[in-house]
Amino acid sequence: MPPRLGGPCRRLRIALSAPSGTPTWCWHARLPIRGPFHARAYHHSRRQQLPQTSTFSTSTVTGAVAAAATSIHQRHHCLDDSPAKLVATFSSLFDLAPVFTADPAAIDIINEPASFYRTLENGILNARRRIVLASLYLGADEQRVVDLLRIALKQTPTLTVDILLDYFRGTRGSKDSVNLLLPLATEFPGRVRVALYHSPNVGTVLRQVVPPRFIEGFGLQHMKIYLFDDDVMLSGANLNTDYFTDRQDRYVKFGNAPELSDYYSELVATVSRFSYHVRPTGPNRLTSEYQDNGRINTLILKRDASSALQAFVRKWHAATEEVRANARRAPQADTYVLPVMQMGQLGVNNEAAMIAEIMKIAGEGWKVHLSSGYLNFPKLILNQILSSRARYSILAAAPEANGFYGSKGVSRHLPAAYTYLERKLLKRAERAGKVNLVVNEYKRSGWTFHAKGLWCTPPDDTTPALTVIGSSNFGYRSFYRDVEAQSVLITSNADLRSRLANNLDELFSHSNAVEAADLVRAERKQSPIIAAATTLLQGML
């Protein structure tokens, strides 16, 4: 696939092959319409900017582009373009989740928060049958989201809206999510349903003794699903102003995907069944069938929730058996979506099994990029990284890009806690002799970082054939406490893989590589108290 030029200042991405034993380079260039051509070199395997800049004439570049285009076309898919090869490579994953085919042309890889909001806005206003929103919370200043929903409900009398939030985040503060949504539920009874998931690990006593901001460490509703009719967008972003402006996350919209949308709609409905519900009328604005005289029956809640989710998993695995069988027998599709859940408190560990299997597949010669807004890998992931022969590039938030940077109270120490965990990872890699691992920190003036994801690029290839998109930070909380939803996107489609690579490059372009020694300098050093507290509370971070 030849490079594409566009815009007043044209950006060019050229992959240059090199003799055996020497590095492969990725050139990112900005080509003005007139004048000299300035290119800056990046080491492709590390995404680390190197301090060398070359200047070429436009005529020189023309020849280079022609040669590079041939090289790119030849190297773009060392993983065979055929669906059969794709399925064979990732065959073991198809047993671990429901399997859906997808139209790669209808998959939108969104790069910026502002585009995420525009997609959300357009989805709400154009929906005709259903809107399903699952998020951690609705921000106190997001009356505009409520106003958009009201407009959509008024213009389409048959439209229904289902919203799932977390109980503790959704009821925190004087202007909480429930207060924002209650007028909408009152105005459109039966058409607007609002549910708030309550972790079964938090009983009445904990609610009374643990402050609201800290009780979230025991488990949250963390899924980020934004569904409009037959389009579904998966993300790690919440419904809050910073996620629409300057908090970097990931967002992938699957357009015209009725079966996948049905899956996620039913998932939200299933979790909502054992959650609190907003009641427009009556003495209590929130009710739950698991609460009696103000006390929560956590044992029955956990039993019923686990049973309902296990039944959901079995149903959809069976419902997609024909797609799975066809993929193995005579695959025609070049793109597959495998949705997974992680609800460790309820005995659902689909994501953990899937991530472990993906990391086993990505062996020697593979390039794996792993991003987390809160770097705190559990042993399952950490051991795989340290023992793998694949090249790992990890992207985390610099302290200034951490959402808790500069906050008040105890939470102001969280950036230092994550720095401590980052340093532990690098020290363990050193002791294990893991030389093919690089940690980068995202730092962009005025922005915070919340993007999470996994990308796998096959040997001798330059674009990912697999990515994981969703809400999980791949941390302790994600695996053992929170409610998470992800999808594994597998594709041999050239255009889609190119767009995945561009998204990956964009994220890493705002980062720099760090080493363990960088994290013990005076401005980054962590006190013994921070180190001890982090070790003690690691399972809640």
Side-chain angles (χ1 to χ4, degrees), residues 241-489:
T241 305
D242 54 347
Y243 291 93
F244 301 151
T245 53
D246 53 15
R247 185 156 172 75
Q248 183 65 61
D249 217 302
R250 292 184 69 214
Y251 337 84
V252 175
K253 189 186 84 169
F254 299 89
N256 191 26
E259 294 86 3
L260 185 65
S261 297
D262 286 347
Y263 169 92
Y264 278 111
S265 177
E266 187 175 330
L267 172 59
V268 172
T270 301
V271 176
S272 297
R273 274 168 40 199
F274 47 82
S275 299
Y276 277 81
H277 296 271
V278 172
R279 299 300 183 196
T281 58
N284 299 314
R285 64 174 188 166
L286 292 172
T287 61
S288 169
E289 64 180 276
Y290 297 99
Q291 181 170 299
D292 183 29
N293 293 324
R295 298 185 66 85
I296 304 165
N297 193 326
T298 55
L299 290 178
I300 296 178
L301 170 60
K302 191 169 186 176
R303 181 200 67 191
D304 290 357
S306 179
S307 176
L309 287 165
Q310 296 288 359
F312 173 85
V313 170
R314 290 192 300 269
K315 172 189 171 180
W316 279 97
H317 198 279
T320 59
E321 182 56 44
E322 185 176 352
V323 179
R324 186 180 297 103
N326 288 339
R328 286 180 167 150
R329 182 171 57 248
Q332 299 296 321
D334 63 2
T335 302
Y336 293 90
V337 181
L338 285 63
V340 292
M341 299 179 296
Q342 185 66 22
M343 305 177 187
Q345 293 182 350
L346 302 174
V348 179
N349 295 291
N350 303 141
E351 179 196 328
M354 180 68 76
I355 298 301
E357 188 62 26
I358 290 171
M359 294 176 116
K360 289 178 185 176
I361 292 172
E364 188 168 9
W366 286 72
K367 293 180 286 291
V368 179
H369 292 81
L370 183 56
S371 173
S372 175
Y374 303 108
L375 194 150
N376 181 23
F377 297 134
K379 289 182 180 179
L380 175 69
I381 290 182
L382 185 60
N383 291 341
Q384 292 263 27
I385 291 173
L386 296 177
S387 63
S388 176
R389 298 177 69 86
R391 177 179 295 277
Y392 272 81
S393 296
I394 295 172
L395 183 60
E400 298 85 349
N402 187 294
F404 294 98
Y405 184 76
S407 64
K408 298 178 181 179
V410 176
S411 61
R412 73 182 188 275
H413 298 295
L414 285 173
Y418 287 109
T419 295
Y420 172 72
L421 293 172
E422 189 178 320
R423 181 166 65 90
K424 278 185 65 177
L425 168 65
L426 288 167
K427 294 297 288 184
R428 283 198 61 177
E430 286 181 8
R431 290 196 299 269
K434 176 79 174 174
V435 296
N436 53 350
L437 180 146
V438 178
V439 174
N440 280 47
E441 288 186 343
Y442 180 100
K443 186 177 180 180
R444 185 178 181 183
S445 179
W447 285 59
T448 57
F449 183 73
H450 196 247
K452 60 271 295 180
L454 177 69
W455 299 257
C456 294
T457 302
D460 301 317
D461 220 328
T462 60
T463 57
L466 178 149
T467 190
V468 179
I469 173 68
S471 61
S472 174
N473 281 300
F474 308 104
Y476 271 90
R477 282 264 304 271
S478 297
F479 272 32
Y480 302 114
R481 296 185 181 274
D482 293 345
V483 174
E484 307 282 9
Q486 304 256 74
S487 265
V488 180
L489 172 60

Side-chain angles (χ1 to χ4, degrees), residues 106-110 119 228 231-234 251-255:
I107 297 176
D108 189 9
I109 310 298
I110 300 166
T119 304
F228 318 101
D231 297 346
V232 58
M233 176 166 56
L234 300 181
Y251 337 84
V252 175
K253 189 186 84 169
F254 299 89

Side-chain angles (χ1 to χ4, degrees), residues 176-256:
D176 59 25
S177 303
V178 176
N179 286 331
L180 282 171
L181 293 167
L182 189 58
L184 198 66
T186 304
E187 186 177 351
F188 301 95
R191 295 176 60 198
V192 175
R193 297 177 287 265
V194 181
L196 292 95
Y197 170 84
H198 187 292
S199 169
N201 275 22
V202 178
T204 306
V205 175
L206 271 180
R207 282 175 56 173
Q208 292 174 345
V209 300
V210 179
R213 192 164 188 178
F214 295 99
I215 206 167
E216 298 165 12
F218 291 91
L220 294 169
Q221 191 306 106
H222 202 246
M223 299 187 295
K224 317 298 167 53
I225 301 165
Y226 305 112
L227 189 154
F228 318 101
D229 291 341
D230 291 334
D231 297 346
V232 58
M233 176 166 56
L234 300 181
S235 179
N238 291 301
L239 297 173
N240 194 40
T241 305
D242 54 347
Y243 291 93
F244 301 151
T245 53
D246 53 15
R247 185 156 172 75
Q248 183 65 61
D249 217 302
R250 292 184 69 214
Y251 337 84
V252 175
K253 189 186 84 169
F254 299 89
N256 191 26

